[in-house]
Amino acid sequence: GWKMCINCINNCIKNPNTTLKTDPDNHQQQQQQQTTQHLPLHHSGTTNQSTTPNTLIEFFALSTIAKYLSDRRIKSAQDRKLVRDCVFVHATLPPSGPPARAPHPPYIVTAQALVLALCVKEDYPTSWPSPFTLLRSTSASHPELFCRVLQALVDEVVDFDEARTKEERERDSFVKDAMRGISEGGRAAAAA
């Protein structure tokens, strides 16, 4: 489940340039390997550098974690903290080492942002009182991540969706009210 996905992301953090080995008996890994063999080529004839076996694994892991969060299947605040800490580290690692790594492609940044936004939706302000302070602290070095988290929050919390349950709508209202409190508190402090 999601814990295995966290391990995959941690493995990609520690060994960004190592392609994960495939097990000959694992048909899913063989299918993924076949998929990555047919990646689009740039005009130079080289494989698209933003799509490697590791980035596909990272994307799958982040998408799986997002699904678990969206379905509220990561129950404890401590487990969600583990998720957001891992994803935040993964998202904010500098492209230059150690170890040396390429910048994350946009689809990975979007997946990271969705996971972080879902963590804000579930844990702000009770279990995670300062997500915006943390995000603002990295906005200069990772502006794309900052903007994509904000957009994901609009999609997941701010925009009304009739398909959401009453409990989800109440939770979204609670998060929006807390965010307004920060905005109003910030304006009041600036006016003083």
Side-chain angles (χ1 to χ4, degrees), residues 69-132:
L69 287 166
S70 182
D71 293 346
R72 301 184 86 183
R73 290 190 289 166
I74 302 178
K75 299 290 184 194
S76 84
Q78 184 177 5
D79 286 344
R80 288 189 303 274
K81 182 179 180 342
L82 174 71
V83 166
R84 70 177 185 250
D85 288 350
C86 173
V87 172
F88 190 78
V89 166
H90 181 252
T92 59
L93 283 172
S96 58
R101 64 185 73 244
H104 294 296
Y107 63 93
I108 295 290
V109 178
T110 299
Q112 294 164 334
L114 176 59
V115 168
L116 292 171
L118 289 168
C119 287
V120 170
K121 179 179 180 171
E122 188 63 31
D123 290 332
Y124 176 74
T126 53
S127 303
W128 190 16
S130 59
F132 301 105

Short mmCIF file of all heavy atoms in Angstrom, two decimals, residues 69-132:
data_model
loop_
_atom_site.label_atom_id
_atom_site.label_comp_id
_atom_site.label_asym_id
_atom_site.label_seq_id
_atom_site.Cartn_x
_atom_site.Cartn_y
_atom_site.Cartn_z
N LEU A 69 -4.88 9.15 0.32
CA LEU A 69 -5.27 10.35 1.06
C LEU A 69 -6.67 10.82 0.67
O LEU A 69 -7.47 11.16 1.53
CB LEU A 69 -4.26 11.48 0.81
CG LEU A 69 -2.90 11.33 1.48
CD1 LEU A 69 -1.90 12.32 0.89
CD2 LEU A 69 -3.02 11.52 2.99
N SER A 70 -6.95 10.80 -0.61
CA SER A 70 -8.25 11.23 -1.11
C SER A 70 -9.38 10.36 -0.56
O SER A 70 -10.45 10.87 -0.22
CB SER A 70 -8.25 11.20 -2.63
OG SER A 70 -9.46 11.66 -3.15
N ASP A 71 -9.11 9.09 -0.44
CA ASP A 71 -10.11 8.15 0.09
C ASP A 71 -10.09 8.08 1.62
O ASP A 71 -10.82 7.29 2.21
CB ASP A 71 -9.87 6.74 -0.47
CG ASP A 71 -10.14 6.65 -1.95
OD1 ASP A 71 -10.76 7.58 -2.52
OD2 ASP A 71 -9.73 5.65 -2.57
N ARG A 72 -9.21 8.89 2.23
CA ARG A 72 -9.06 8.95 3.69
C ARG A 72 -8.72 7.59 4.29
O ARG A 72 -9.22 7.21 5.34
CB ARG A 72 -10.31 9.55 4.34
CG ARG A 72 -10.60 10.96 3.82
CD ARG A 72 -11.73 11.60 4.49
NE ARG A 72 -11.20 12.22 5.71
CZ ARG A 72 -11.97 12.85 6.58
NH1 ARG A 72 -13.25 12.91 6.40
NH2 ARG A 72 -11.44 13.38 7.65
N ARG A 73 -7.82 6.88 3.61
CA ARG A 73 -7.41 5.56 4.10
C ARG A 73 -6.10 5.63 4.87
O ARG A 73 -5.62 4.61 5.34
CB ARG A 73 -7.29 4.57 2.93
CG ARG A 73 -8.66 4.23 2.36
CD ARG A 73 -8.60 3.10 1.38
NE ARG A 73 -7.95 3.55 0.16
CZ ARG A 73 -7.51 2.73 -0.77
NH1 ARG A 73 -7.62 1.43 -0.64
NH2 ARG A 73 -6.94 3.21 -1.86
N ILE A 74 -5.50 6.80 4.99
CA ILE A 74 -4.35 6.98 5.88
C ILE A 74 -4.93 7.66 7.11
O ILE A 74 -5.15 8.87 7.12
CB ILE A 74 -3.22 7.79 5.22
CG1 ILE A 74 -2.77 7.10 3.93
CG2 ILE A 74 -2.05 7.96 6.19
CD1 ILE A 74 -1.69 7.85 3.17
N LYS A 75 -5.22 6.86 8.11
CA LYS A 75 -6.06 7.30 9.23
C LYS A 75 -5.35 8.19 10.25
O LYS A 75 -5.91 9.15 10.72
CB LYS A 75 -6.66 6.08 9.95
CG LYS A 75 -7.56 5.24 9.06
CD LYS A 75 -8.83 5.96 8.73
CE LYS A 75 -9.76 5.08 7.93
NZ LYS A 75 -10.84 5.80 7.31
N SER A 76 -4.13 7.84 10.60
CA SER A 76 -3.51 8.57 11.72
C SER A 76 -2.77 9.82 11.25
O SER A 76 -2.18 9.85 10.17
CB SER A 76 -2.55 7.65 12.49
OG SER A 76 -1.29 7.61 11.88
N ALA A 77 -2.81 10.84 12.08
CA ALA A 77 -2.10 12.09 11.79
C ALA A 77 -0.59 11.84 11.72
O ALA A 77 0.10 12.47 10.92
CB ALA A 77 -2.42 13.14 12.86
N GLN A 78 -0.11 10.90 12.51
CA GLN A 78 1.31 10.57 12.50
C GLN A 78 1.71 9.96 11.15
O GLN A 78 2.76 10.29 10.60
CB GLN A 78 1.63 9.59 13.63
CG GLN A 78 3.11 9.26 13.75
CD GLN A 78 3.38 8.34 14.93
OE1 GLN A 78 2.48 7.87 15.61
NE2 GLN A 78 4.65 8.07 15.16
N ASP A 79 0.87 9.10 10.58
CA ASP A 79 1.16 8.52 9.27
C ASP A 79 1.11 9.59 8.18
O ASP A 79 1.94 9.60 7.27
CB ASP A 79 0.18 7.39 8.94
CG ASP A 79 0.46 6.12 9.72
OD1 ASP A 79 1.57 5.98 10.28
OD2 ASP A 79 -0.44 5.25 9.77
N ARG A 80 0.15 10.51 8.26
CA ARG A 80 0.08 11.59 7.27
C ARG A 80 1.29 12.52 7.40
O ARG A 80 1.78 13.04 6.40
CB ARG A 80 -1.24 12.35 7.40
CG ARG A 80 -2.43 11.54 6.90
CD ARG A 80 -3.70 12.36 6.83
NE ARG A 80 -4.07 12.96 8.10
CZ ARG A 80 -4.78 12.37 9.05
NH1 ARG A 80 -5.22 11.13 8.88
NH2 ARG A 80 -5.07 13.00 10.17
N LYS A 81 1.78 12.72 8.62
CA LYS A 81 3.00 13.52 8.80
C LYS A 81 4.18 12.84 8.12
O LYS A 81 4.99 13.48 7.46
CB LYS A 81 3.29 13.75 10.28
CG LYS A 81 4.54 14.62 10.50
CD LYS A 81 4.80 14.86 11.96
CE LYS A 81 6.01 15.71 12.26
NZ LYS A 81 7.01 15.91 11.27
N LEU A 82 4.27 11.52 8.26
CA LEU A 82 5.32 10.77 7.57
C LEU A 82 5.22 10.98 6.06
O LEU A 82 6.22 11.22 5.39
CB LEU A 82 5.20 9.27 7.91
CG LEU A 82 6.12 8.33 7.16
CD1 LEU A 82 7.56 8.50 7.63
CD2 LEU A 82 5.67 6.88 7.36
N VAL A 83 4.01 10.93 5.54
CA VAL A 83 3.79 11.14 4.10
C VAL A 83 4.23 12.53 3.69
O VAL A 83 5.02 12.71 2.76
CB VAL A 83 2.30 10.91 3.73
CG1 VAL A 83 2.00 11.43 2.33
CG2 VAL A 83 1.94 9.44 3.84
N ARG A 84 3.73 13.55 4.37
CA ARG A 84 4.04 14.92 3.94
C ARG A 84 5.52 15.25 4.12
O ARG A 84 6.10 15.94 3.29
CB ARG A 84 3.14 15.94 4.61
CG ARG A 84 3.37 16.16 6.07
CD ARG A 84 2.44 17.27 6.59
NE ARG A 84 2.71 17.58 7.94
CZ ARG A 84 1.91 17.28 8.97
NH1 ARG A 84 0.77 16.68 8.76
NH2 ARG A 84 2.26 17.61 10.19
N ASP A 85 6.15 14.73 5.17
CA ASP A 85 7.59 14.98 5.36
C ASP A 85 8.39 14.34 4.22
O ASP A 85 9.29 14.97 3.66
CB ASP A 85 8.07 14.44 6.70
CG ASP A 85 7.59 15.25 7.89
OD1 ASP A 85 7.04 16.37 7.68
OD2 ASP A 85 7.74 14.78 9.03
N CYS A 86 8.06 13.11 3.87
CA CYS A 86 8.75 12.42 2.79
C CYS A 86 8.56 13.15 1.47
O CYS A 86 9.51 13.41 0.73
CB CYS A 86 8.27 10.98 2.69
SG CYS A 86 8.93 10.09 1.27
N VAL A 87 7.32 13.50 1.16
CA VAL A 87 7.03 14.15 -0.12
C VAL A 87 7.64 15.54 -0.16
O VAL A 87 8.17 15.96 -1.19
CB VAL A 87 5.51 14.17 -0.39
CG1 VAL A 87 5.18 15.02 -1.61
CG2 VAL A 87 5.00 12.75 -0.58
N PHE A 88 7.61 16.25 0.96
CA PHE A 88 8.19 17.59 0.98
C PHE A 88 9.70 17.53 0.75
O PHE A 88 10.24 18.32 -0.02
CB PHE A 88 7.87 18.32 2.29
CG PHE A 88 8.24 19.76 2.24
CD1 PHE A 88 7.42 20.67 1.57
CD2 PHE A 88 9.39 20.22 2.84
CE1 PHE A 88 7.77 22.01 1.51
CE2 PHE A 88 9.73 21.55 2.79
CZ PHE A 88 8.92 22.45 2.12
N VAL A 89 10.37 16.59 1.39
CA VAL A 89 11.82 16.42 1.16
C VAL A 89 12.07 16.08 -0.31
O VAL A 89 12.95 16.64 -0.95
CB VAL A 89 12.40 15.34 2.10
CG1 VAL A 89 13.78 14.91 1.65
CG2 VAL A 89 12.45 15.85 3.53
N HIS A 90 11.30 15.15 -0.84
CA HIS A 90 11.44 14.75 -2.24
C HIS A 90 11.23 15.94 -3.17
O HIS A 90 11.96 16.12 -4.14
CB HIS A 90 10.43 13.64 -2.55
CG HIS A 90 10.49 13.12 -3.93
ND1 HIS A 90 9.51 13.39 -4.84
CD2 HIS A 90 11.39 12.33 -4.55
CE1 HIS A 90 9.80 12.79 -5.98
NE2 HIS A 90 10.94 12.15 -5.84
N ALA A 91 10.25 16.78 -2.86
CA ALA A 91 9.91 17.91 -3.72
C ALA A 91 10.94 19.03 -3.66
O ALA A 91 11.11 19.76 -4.64
CB ALA A 91 8.54 18.45 -3.34
N THR A 92 11.61 19.19 -2.54
CA THR A 92 12.48 20.36 -2.36
C THR A 92 13.96 20.05 -2.40
O THR A 92 14.77 20.94 -2.14
CB THR A 92 12.15 21.06 -1.02
OG1 THR A 92 12.33 20.15 0.05
CG2 THR A 92 10.73 21.61 -1.04
N LEU A 93 14.33 18.83 -2.75
CA LEU A 93 15.75 18.54 -2.89
C LEU A 93 16.34 19.38 -4.01
O LEU A 93 15.73 19.52 -5.08
CB LEU A 93 15.97 17.06 -3.22
CG LEU A 93 15.83 16.11 -2.05
CD1 LEU A 93 15.87 14.67 -2.55
CD2 LEU A 93 16.92 16.33 -1.03
N PRO A 94 17.51 19.96 -3.78
CA PRO A 94 18.11 20.76 -4.84
C PRO A 94 18.56 19.87 -6.00
O PRO A 94 18.96 18.72 -5.79
CB PRO A 94 19.31 21.42 -4.16
CG PRO A 94 19.59 20.57 -2.98
CD PRO A 94 18.32 19.91 -2.58
N PRO A 95 18.47 20.39 -7.25
CA PRO A 95 18.90 19.58 -8.39
C PRO A 95 20.37 19.19 -8.33
O PRO A 95 20.74 18.14 -8.82
CB PRO A 95 18.64 20.49 -9.59
CG PRO A 95 17.65 21.48 -9.13
CD PRO A 95 17.88 21.64 -7.65
N SER A 96 21.19 20.03 -7.71
CA SER A 96 22.59 19.64 -7.56
C SER A 96 22.73 18.85 -6.28
O SER A 96 22.09 19.17 -5.29
CB SER A 96 23.48 20.88 -7.52
OG SER A 96 23.09 21.71 -6.46
N GLY A 97 23.49 17.85 -6.25
CA GLY A 97 23.65 16.85 -5.22
C GLY A 97 23.84 17.35 -3.82
O GLY A 97 23.50 18.46 -3.52
N PRO A 98 24.42 16.57 -2.93
CA PRO A 98 24.61 15.17 -3.27
C PRO A 98 23.35 14.38 -3.03
O PRO A 98 22.61 14.75 -2.13
CB PRO A 98 25.72 14.73 -2.34
CG PRO A 98 25.63 15.62 -1.14
CD PRO A 98 24.99 16.90 -1.62
N PRO A 99 23.06 13.35 -3.70
CA PRO A 99 23.64 12.99 -4.99
C PRO A 99 23.06 13.87 -6.09
O PRO A 99 21.96 14.39 -5.95
CB PRO A 99 23.21 11.54 -5.16
CG PRO A 99 21.99 11.39 -4.32
CD PRO A 99 22.09 12.40 -3.21
N ALA A 100 23.78 14.01 -7.18
CA ALA A 100 23.33 14.85 -8.29
C ALA A 100 22.03 14.31 -8.86
O ALA A 100 21.84 13.10 -8.97
CB ALA A 100 24.40 14.89 -9.37
N ARG A 101 21.13 15.20 -9.18
CA ARG A 101 19.82 14.78 -9.70
C ARG A 101 19.31 15.84 -10.67
O ARG A 101 19.66 17.00 -10.57
CB ARG A 101 18.83 14.56 -8.58
CG ARG A 101 18.49 15.79 -7.79
CD ARG A 101 17.59 15.54 -6.59
NE ARG A 101 18.33 14.88 -5.55
CZ ARG A 101 18.07 13.66 -5.10
NH1 ARG A 101 17.07 12.98 -5.58
NH2 ARG A 101 18.79 13.10 -4.16
N ALA A 102 18.48 15.41 -11.57
CA ALA A 102 17.84 16.33 -12.51
C ALA A 102 16.64 16.96 -11.81
O ALA A 102 16.07 16.37 -10.89
CB ALA A 102 17.40 15.58 -13.75
N PRO A 103 16.21 18.16 -12.24
CA PRO A 103 15.00 18.74 -11.66
C PRO A 103 13.80 17.82 -11.94
O PRO A 103 13.78 17.09 -12.93
CB PRO A 103 14.84 20.06 -12.40
CG PRO A 103 16.14 20.32 -13.06
CD PRO A 103 16.83 19.01 -13.23
N HIS A 104 12.81 17.88 -11.08
CA HIS A 104 11.62 17.05 -11.28
C HIS A 104 10.85 17.54 -12.50
O HIS A 104 10.66 18.74 -12.67
CB HIS A 104 10.70 17.13 -10.06
CG HIS A 104 11.28 16.53 -8.83
ND1 HIS A 104 11.58 15.19 -8.70
CD2 HIS A 104 11.61 17.09 -7.64
CE1 HIS A 104 12.06 14.96 -7.51
NE2 HIS A 104 12.10 16.10 -6.84
N PRO A 105 10.37 16.62 -13.33
CA PRO A 105 9.52 17.04 -14.44
C PRO A 105 8.19 17.57 -13.91
O PRO A 105 7.78 17.25 -12.79
CB PRO A 105 9.33 15.75 -15.25
CG PRO A 105 9.74 14.64 -14.37
CD PRO A 105 10.63 15.19 -13.31
N PRO A 106 7.49 18.37 -14.70
CA PRO A 106 6.24 19.00 -14.23
C PRO A 106 5.20 18.01 -13.71
O PRO A 106 4.51 18.31 -12.74
CB PRO A 106 5.73 19.74 -15.47
CG PRO A 106 6.95 20.02 -16.27
CD PRO A 106 7.86 18.85 -16.03
N TYR A 107 5.07 16.86 -14.32
CA TYR A 107 4.04 15.92 -13.84
C TYR A 107 4.37 15.37 -12.46
O TYR A 107 3.46 15.04 -11.69
CB TYR A 107 3.78 14.79 -14.85
CG TYR A 107 4.95 13.87 -15.13
CD1 TYR A 107 5.09 12.69 -14.41
CD2 TYR A 107 5.87 14.17 -16.11
CE1 TYR A 107 6.15 11.84 -14.66
CE2 TYR A 107 6.93 13.32 -16.38
CZ TYR A 107 7.07 12.15 -15.65
OH TYR A 107 8.12 11.31 -15.91
N ILE A 108 5.64 15.29 -12.09
CA ILE A 108 6.03 14.86 -10.75
C ILE A 108 5.71 15.99 -9.76
O ILE A 108 5.17 15.76 -8.67
CB ILE A 108 7.52 14.48 -10.67
CG1 ILE A 108 7.81 13.25 -11.53
CG2 ILE A 108 7.97 14.28 -9.22
CD1 ILE A 108 7.24 11.95 -11.00
N VAL A 109 6.02 17.24 -10.13
CA VAL A 109 5.73 18.39 -9.25
C VAL A 109 4.22 18.48 -9.00
O VAL A 109 3.78 18.73 -7.87
CB VAL A 109 6.28 19.70 -9.85
CG1 VAL A 109 5.93 20.89 -8.97
CG2 VAL A 109 7.80 19.60 -10.03
N THR A 110 3.42 18.24 -10.03
CA THR A 110 1.97 18.28 -9.86
C THR A 110 1.51 17.18 -8.90
O THR A 110 0.66 17.43 -8.03
CB THR A 110 1.27 18.11 -11.23
OG1 THR A 110 1.67 19.20 -12.07
CG2 THR A 110 -0.24 18.10 -11.10
N ALA A 111 2.06 16.00 -9.03
CA ALA A 111 1.69 14.89 -8.12
C ALA A 111 2.13 15.19 -6.69
O ALA A 111 1.40 14.92 -5.73
CB ALA A 111 2.30 13.57 -8.62
N GLN A 112 3.34 15.75 -6.53
CA GLN A 112 3.80 16.14 -5.19
C GLN A 112 2.87 17.19 -4.59
O GLN A 112 2.50 17.10 -3.42
CB GLN A 112 5.23 16.72 -5.27
CG GLN A 112 6.28 15.72 -5.69
CD GLN A 112 7.58 16.40 -6.12
OE1 GLN A 112 7.59 17.54 -6.56
NE2 GLN A 112 8.68 15.67 -5.99
N ALA A 113 2.50 18.17 -5.40
CA ALA A 113 1.62 19.24 -4.93
C ALA A 113 0.26 18.69 -4.50
O ALA A 113 -0.30 19.12 -3.49
CB ALA A 113 1.45 20.29 -6.03
N LEU A 114 -0.27 17.75 -5.26
CA LEU A 114 -1.57 17.16 -4.90
C LEU A 114 -1.49 16.45 -3.56
O LEU A 114 -2.36 16.62 -2.70
CB LEU A 114 -2.05 16.19 -5.99
CG LEU A 114 -3.35 15.46 -5.67
CD1 LEU A 114 -4.50 16.44 -5.45
CD2 LEU A 114 -3.67 14.47 -6.78
N VAL A 115 -0.42 15.69 -3.34
CA VAL A 115 -0.26 14.99 -2.06
C VAL A 115 -0.17 16.00 -0.92
O VAL A 115 -0.83 15.85 0.11
CB VAL A 115 0.97 14.05 -2.08
CG1 VAL A 115 1.31 13.55 -0.68
CG2 VAL A 115 0.74 12.88 -3.03
N LEU A 116 0.62 17.04 -1.10
CA LEU A 116 0.75 18.05 -0.05
C LEU A 116 -0.58 18.77 0.20
O LEU A 116 -0.96 19.02 1.35
CB LEU A 116 1.86 19.04 -0.39
CG LEU A 116 3.27 18.45 -0.37
CD1 LEU A 116 4.29 19.43 -0.93
CD2 LEU A 116 3.67 18.01 1.03
N ALA A 117 -1.31 19.08 -0.87
CA ALA A 117 -2.61 19.74 -0.71
C ALA A 117 -3.60 18.84 0.02
O ALA A 117 -4.37 19.31 0.87
CB ALA A 117 -3.17 20.15 -2.08
N LEU A 118 -3.59 17.55 -0.28
CA LEU A 118 -4.48 16.62 0.42
C LEU A 118 -4.11 16.51 1.90
O LEU A 118 -4.99 16.35 2.75
CB LEU A 118 -4.47 15.26 -0.27
CG LEU A 118 -5.18 15.22 -1.63
CD1 LEU A 118 -4.86 13.92 -2.37
CD2 LEU A 118 -6.68 15.41 -1.48
N CYS A 119 -2.81 16.61 2.20
CA CYS A 119 -2.39 16.63 3.61
C CYS A 119 -2.87 17.90 4.30
O CYS A 119 -3.32 17.85 5.45
CB CYS A 119 -0.87 16.50 3.71
SG CYS A 119 -0.24 14.85 3.35
N VAL A 120 -2.80 19.04 3.61
CA VAL A 120 -3.32 20.29 4.18
C VAL A 120 -4.82 20.14 4.42
O VAL A 120 -5.32 20.49 5.50
CB VAL A 120 -3.05 21.49 3.24
CG1 VAL A 120 -3.80 22.73 3.70
CG2 VAL A 120 -1.56 21.78 3.14
N LYS A 121 -5.52 19.60 3.44
CA LYS A 121 -6.98 19.43 3.55
C LYS A 121 -7.35 18.60 4.78
O LYS A 121 -8.29 18.92 5.48
CB LYS A 121 -7.51 18.76 2.29
CG LYS A 121 -8.99 18.51 2.30
CD LYS A 121 -9.47 17.86 1.01
CE LYS A 121 -10.96 17.63 1.03
NZ LYS A 121 -11.47 17.20 -0.26
N GLU A 122 -6.58 17.59 5.05
CA GLU A 122 -6.91 16.68 6.16
C GLU A 122 -6.40 17.19 7.51
O GLU A 122 -7.07 17.02 8.53
CB GLU A 122 -6.32 15.29 5.87
CG GLU A 122 -6.75 14.24 6.84
CD GLU A 122 -8.26 13.96 6.82
OE1 GLU A 122 -8.88 14.09 5.76
OE2 GLU A 122 -8.80 13.62 7.89
N ASP A 123 -5.22 17.82 7.54
CA ASP A 123 -4.56 18.09 8.81
C ASP A 123 -4.49 19.55 9.23
O ASP A 123 -4.10 19.85 10.36
CB ASP A 123 -3.14 17.52 8.79
CG ASP A 123 -3.13 16.01 8.79
OD1 ASP A 123 -4.07 15.41 9.33
OD2 ASP A 123 -2.17 15.42 8.26
N TYR A 124 -4.83 20.47 8.34
CA TYR A 124 -4.77 21.88 8.70
C TYR A 124 -6.09 22.31 9.32
O TYR A 124 -7.13 21.93 8.81
CB TYR A 124 -4.48 22.73 7.45
CG TYR A 124 -4.49 24.21 7.71
CD1 TYR A 124 -3.45 24.82 8.38
CD2 TYR A 124 -5.57 24.98 7.30
CE1 TYR A 124 -3.47 26.18 8.63
CE2 TYR A 124 -5.61 26.34 7.55
CZ TYR A 124 -4.55 26.93 8.21
OH TYR A 124 -4.57 28.27 8.47
N PRO A 125 -6.12 23.05 10.36
CA PRO A 125 -5.05 23.57 11.20
C PRO A 125 -4.77 22.72 12.44
O PRO A 125 -3.92 23.06 13.24
CB PRO A 125 -5.60 24.93 11.62
CG PRO A 125 -7.07 24.71 11.75
CD PRO A 125 -7.41 23.69 10.68
N THR A 126 -5.47 21.60 12.58
CA THR A 126 -5.37 20.83 13.83
C THR A 126 -4.03 20.13 13.99
O THR A 126 -3.31 20.38 14.94
CB THR A 126 -6.52 19.81 13.91
OG1 THR A 126 -6.53 19.03 12.71
CG2 THR A 126 -7.86 20.49 14.07
N SER A 127 -3.68 19.24 13.09
CA SER A 127 -2.45 18.45 13.22
C SER A 127 -1.26 19.09 12.52
O SER A 127 -0.12 18.71 12.76
CB SER A 127 -2.64 17.06 12.63
OG SER A 127 -3.71 16.40 13.24
N TRP A 128 -1.53 20.02 11.61
CA TRP A 128 -0.46 20.70 10.86
C TRP A 128 -0.79 22.18 10.82
O TRP A 128 -1.37 22.68 9.86
CB TRP A 128 -0.35 20.10 9.47
CG TRP A 128 0.85 20.52 8.68
CD1 TRP A 128 1.98 21.11 9.15
CD2 TRP A 128 1.04 20.34 7.27
NE1 TRP A 128 2.88 21.32 8.12
CE2 TRP A 128 2.32 20.86 6.96
CE3 TRP A 128 0.26 19.83 6.25
CZ2 TRP A 128 2.83 20.85 5.66
CZ3 TRP A 128 0.78 19.82 4.97
CH2 TRP A 128 2.05 20.31 4.68
N PRO A 129 -0.42 22.91 11.88
CA PRO A 129 -0.84 24.30 11.98
C PRO A 129 -0.09 25.28 11.07
O PRO A 129 -0.54 26.41 10.89
CB PRO A 129 -0.59 24.64 13.45
CG PRO A 129 0.45 23.69 13.89
CD PRO A 129 0.26 22.44 13.07
N SER A 130 1.01 24.85 10.46
CA SER A 130 1.82 25.83 9.71
C SER A 130 2.20 25.39 8.29
O SER A 130 3.34 25.61 7.87
CB SER A 130 3.09 26.14 10.50
OG SER A 130 3.82 24.94 10.70
N PRO A 131 1.31 24.81 7.52
CA PRO A 131 1.73 24.39 6.18
C PRO A 131 2.07 25.58 5.28
O PRO A 131 2.98 25.48 4.44
CB PRO A 131 0.51 23.64 5.63
CG PRO A 131 -0.64 24.20 6.36
CD PRO A 131 -0.10 24.53 7.73
N PHE A 132 1.40 26.69 5.46
CA PHE A 132 1.62 27.83 4.58
C PHE A 132 2.95 28.52 4.88
O PHE A 132 3.62 29.02 3.98
CB PHE A 132 0.43 28.79 4.64
CG PHE A 132 -0.83 28.10 4.23
CD1 PHE A 132 -1.77 27.73 5.18
CD2 PHE A 132 -1.07 27.76 2.91
CE1 PHE A 132 -2.93 27.05 4.81
CE2 PHE A 132 -2.21 27.08 2.53
CZ PHE A 132 -3.15 26.72 3.48
#
